[in-house]
Amino acid sequence: MSKLNINSEIKKIEKRLEQSIKSHDKVLEAASHHLFSSGGKRVRPAFVILSSQFGKEMNEDVYRVAVTLELIHMATLVHDDVIDKSDKRRGSLTISKKWDQNTAILTGNFLLARGLEHISNIEANRVHAVISRAIVEVCMGELYQFQDQFNGHQTITNYLRRINRKTALLIQLSTEVGAITSGADAKTVHNLKMIGHYIGMSFQIVDDILDFTSTEKKLGKPVGSDLMNGHLTLPVLFEMRKNETFKQQIQQLNSETDHETFVKLIDQIRNSDVIAQSQAVSDKYLNKALHLIDELDNEDSKSLFKKLIKKVGKRNV
């Protein structure tokens, strides 16, 4: 394979994404375009393209999968914002805030349907089976997150299972299906699947740390949004484990709790060593991914892969 230019590949995906969200219905198109144009790192398509470098060839199926997984990801973001009643996403108004809740739900459904339509020409049944199973799991992850809102009795195992379904799975899918569609052998497919899983876990833990340590401008939403929405992430669970008073305060939170109480708890987390502790867990996952990348062939793509995931592990947003 010729040397990969990941930036030009992502530009190709962007063009295809823009085409795929066109609709006869102007509201659906405008709402989809609103989310599309608000940015996004296109992490999933990047991992599909990169993983395809360890197979026999880059082909049309690889591009189709890259677009599909980004559309599915976009659909989950829209539905997530509805569940969380979020006003902002990446610094812009959410679809439910700019339009209304019904439009947001339908836009999410539209993006998911467009994603599935985009891979309808792929003949390999395995691709469809793997993606369909993953969508079911992602839905379960969303449901568990909803059921665990303000649940002060959940464990770190609960949290890890939830982020595996909610975030890691789509990144795992990107690396796995990128390898499958390019004709990689079984061992390579398995290794890439595990690499995607480890990257996804690390990625979400970093996100959960940044929710406390970053700024509203960088996050595009208020600092501590997760806690205010009742999502107890790794830094909170670590702090609960070591501080009984904090644990009791968390267990008393609900959607009616006043803003000041949240601000105090968020500040406590920001200034605690649980941030470093959480980062260490993220680094462990990232190191597992790096170790497995070393076992792959194709030196150029390996170093590109490492650069990309180190960026993910240490990003500020």
Side-chain angles (χ1 to χ4, degrees):
M1 286 188 188
S2 56
K3 198 164 181 182
L4 183 75
N5 181 333
I6 196 75
N7 291 330
S8 75
E9 293 296 337
I10 293 299
K11 277 180 189 144
K12 286 184 203 170
I13 303 293
E14 292 266 338
K15 278 184 188 156
R16 287 174 177 238
L17 277 168
E18 208 159 3
Q19 280 301 313
S20 65
I21 58 177
K22 287 197 156 77
S23 169
H24 295 305
D25 186 282
K26 291 301 151 202
V27 175
L28 278 180
E29 187 173 322
S32 301
H33 199 271
H34 172 71
L35 178 63
F36 169 76
S37 59
S38 71
K41 304 173 205 74
R42 312 294 179 228
V43 167
R44 288 144 201 87
F47 283 132
V48 173
I49 301 292
L50 260 178
S51 300
S52 73
Q53 301 304 293
F54 301 96
K56 290 177 192 149
E57 57 163 4
M58 274 278 281
N59 54 42
E60 180 57 23
D61 286 358
V62 172
Y63 288 109
R64 286 183 173 280
V65 165
V67 171
T68 289
L69 294 187
E70 188 64 9
L71 288 167
I72 293 171
H73 171 59
M74 286 166 71
T76 64
L77 295 182
V78 179
H79 286 160
D80 230 3
D81 288 339
V82 171
I83 292 165
D84 285 343
K85 301 180 177 63
S86 300
D87 291 345
K88 279 189 165 184
R89 159 82 55 188
R90 297 169 183 156
S92 303
L93 291 177
T94 56
I95 294 173
S96 49
K97 189 74 179 166
K98 192 171 164 65
W99 281 271
D100 53 56
Q101 197 180 61
N102 292 349
T103 302
I105 291 167
L106 293 168
T107 302
N109 293 352
F110 167 71
L111 290 166
L112 181 60
R114 273 285 194 252
L116 295 177
E117 185 182 35
H118 211 74
I119 50 165
S120 58
N121 290 349
I122 294 180
E123 285 177 18
N125 284 338
R126 184 180 175 193
V127 170
H128 297 285
V130 169
I131 291 176
S132 304
R133 268 201 308 272
I135 293 172
V136 172
E137 290 287 326
V138 169
C139 290
M140 284 167 70
E142 292 286 349
L143 185 64
Y144 294 148
Q145 174 164 294
F146 180 61
Q147 288 171 342
D148 272 338
Q149 265 179 310
F150 294 109
N151 170 12
H153 300 279
Q154 64 189 280
T155 63
I156 288 170
T157 306
N158 280 124
Y159 163 80
L160 294 173
R161 278 191 196 137
R162 191 170 69 238
I163 68 166
N164 177 36
R165 286 191 166 103
K166 210 180 144 285
T167 302
L169 209 56
L170 275 184
I171 294 179
Q172 176 184 310
L173 208 52
S174 307
T175 52
E176 182 183 9
V177 184
I180 292 170
T181 46
S182 64
D185 62 64
K187 187 180 182 218
T188 304
V189 169
H190 177 73
N191 278 353
L192 281 159
K193 174 184 177 178
M194 292 314 297
I195 288 165
H197 166 70
Y198 294 139
I199 293 169
M201 296 297 280
S202 170
F203 189 92
Q204 186 56 52
I205 293 167
V206 170
D207 258 11
D208 294 342
I209 293 167
L210 290 170
D211 192 62
F212 290 103
T213 61
S214 193
T215 61
E216 181 163 351
K217 192 179 176 191
K218 282 184 181 172
L219 289 168
K221 58 181 183 175
V223 172
S225 289
D226 286 336
L227 186 57
M228 289 191 262
N229 285 322
H231 304 318
L232 309 190
T233 55
L234 194 58
V236 176
L237 294 168
F238 274 150
E239 187 71 21
M240 286 171 74
R241 207 159 69 170
K242 68 170 203 173
N243 185 326
E244 192 56 41
T245 309
F246 180 86
K247 183 179 178 179
Q248 284 165 8
Q249 288 171 314
I250 292 290
Q251 286 172 344
Q252 284 162 14
L253 294 177
N254 57 55
S255 55
E256 306 300 314
T257 302
D258 63 281
H259 187 69
E260 279 310 302
T261 303
F262 281 117
V263 170
K264 279 179 193 156
L265 294 169
I266 290 161
D267 278 345
Q268 188 168 337
I269 294 283
R270 278 175 85 104
N271 299 312
S272 170
D273 62 354
V274 296
I275 296 295
Q277 216 180 328
S278 302
Q279 184 64 54
V281 177
S282 172
D283 290 347
K284 243 184 207 168
Y285 280 115
L286 210 56
N287 288 333
K288 283 182 177 181
L290 289 166
H291 177 70
L292 274 181
I293 289 170
D294 282 333
E295 294 184 20
L296 298 170
D297 298 325
N298 188 337
E299 292 307 315
D300 285 344
S301 298
K302 274 162 73 165
S303 77
L304 204 52
F305 219 139
K306 285 184 176 181
K307 264 186 205 157
L308 185 60
I309 70 167
K310 280 178 177 166
K311 215 168 155 184
V312 163
K314 300 294 177 199
R315 70 197 188 281
N316 293 320
V317 172

